[in-house]
């Protein structure tokens, strides 16, 4: 399914105020993980209060032990510090990678901003080597822009 076909579905999920934010984010994760073949794990991490760490709020895919990630550690922790997209075509080539599963070959992390402040991120793991394109980045940025409106 193309990104443009998923956008109306994601908008509907995010605008459904009968569900709390965590439920809507989980549903977005499930839609992405189900409809994009190389999105094998999808999650939203957010800053954990005043702590210099991220906390997993919603995900779809295999459960992970990495529910808390310190700033600077792993790909997610680096994005929390850099405020920049991070596309990793081959996780084995990263020396600061936190292995979530032996099957993960690539990862993309896009920061989520509210009022110019990096408050979280969307994280995608793939079992496919080098699957992420510029279109993935643009699509995930679009998702985060829409998520920021409900936070």
């Amino acid at each position: 399914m193309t990104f443009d076909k998923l956008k109306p579905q994601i908008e509907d999920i995010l605008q459904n105020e009968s569900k709390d934010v965590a439920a809507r984010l989980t549903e977005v994760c499930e839609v992405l993980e189900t409809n994009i073949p190389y999105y094998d794990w999808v999650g939203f991490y957010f800053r954990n209060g005043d702590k210099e760490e991220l906390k997993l709020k919603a995900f779809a895919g295999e459960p992970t032990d990495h529910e808390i990630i310190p700033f600077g550690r792993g790909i997610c922790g680096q994005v929390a510090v850099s405020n920049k997209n991070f596309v990793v075509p081959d996780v084995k080539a990263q020396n600061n990678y936190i292995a979530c599963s032996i099957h993960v070959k690539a990862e993309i992390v896009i920061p989520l901003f509210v009022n110019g402040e990096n408050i979280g991120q969307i994280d995608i793991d793939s079992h496919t080597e080098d699957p992420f394109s510029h279109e993935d980045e643009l699509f995930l940025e679009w998702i985060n822009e829409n998520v920021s409106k409900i936070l």
Side-chain angles (χ1 to χ4, degrees):
M1 183 173 281
T2 66
F3 296 140
D4 286 337
K5 288 183 180 173
L6 287 174
K7 284 182 177 183
Q9 187 176 357
I10 289 167
E11 285 175 328
D12 288 345
I13 292 166
L14 292 174
Q15 293 167 6
N16 182 356
E17 293 181 8
S18 69
K19 294 181 180 177
D20 69 15
V21 170
R24 288 184 263 172
L25 292 177
T26 299
E27 198 171 333
V28 168
C29 292
E30 290 167 349
V31 165
L32 296 176
E33 193 256 347
T34 302
N35 288 286
I36 302 174
Y38 54 95
Y39 284 19
D40 296 296
W41 189 92
V42 179
F44 283 97
Y45 284 93
F46 289 91
R47 183 182 188 113
N48 191 10
D50 291 336
K51 299 176 184 172
E52 295 283 305
E53 65 185 23
L54 298 164
K55 184 172 183 177
L56 184 63
K57 184 166 187 168
F59 74 95
E62 291 292 316
T64 178
D65 292 335
H66 304 288
E67 293 186 19
I68 301 287
I69 299 175
F71 281 16
R73 186 139 154 61
I75 307 308
C76 292
Q78 290 177 73
V79 169
V81 174
S82 74
N83 300 323
K84 294 186 166 94
N85 297 355
F86 200 159
V87 181
V88 182
D90 178 6
V91 296
K92 290 187 300 275
Q94 288 295 315
N95 59 359
N96 191 11
Y97 171 69
I98 301 172
C100 293
S101 159
I102 59 169
H103 304 293
V104 176
K105 299 205 177 354
E107 183 172 10
I108 185 171
V109 180
I110 308 295
L112 196 159
F113 297 95
V114 173
N115 299 323
E117 181 185 354
N118 181 353
I119 59 132
Q121 55 199 229
I122 189 169
D123 176 24
I124 316 282
D125 290 343
S126 180
H127 298 170
T128 305
E129 265 186 49
D130 196 12
F132 303 116
S133 67
H134 184 62
E135 286 72 32
D136 289 277
E137 280 191 79
L138 294 175
F139 177 61
L140 296 171
E141 287 171 355
W142 176 88
I143 288 173
N144 281 355
E145 286 168 19
N146 284 275
V147 166
S148 74
K149 296 173 187 172
I150 67 165
L151 299 176

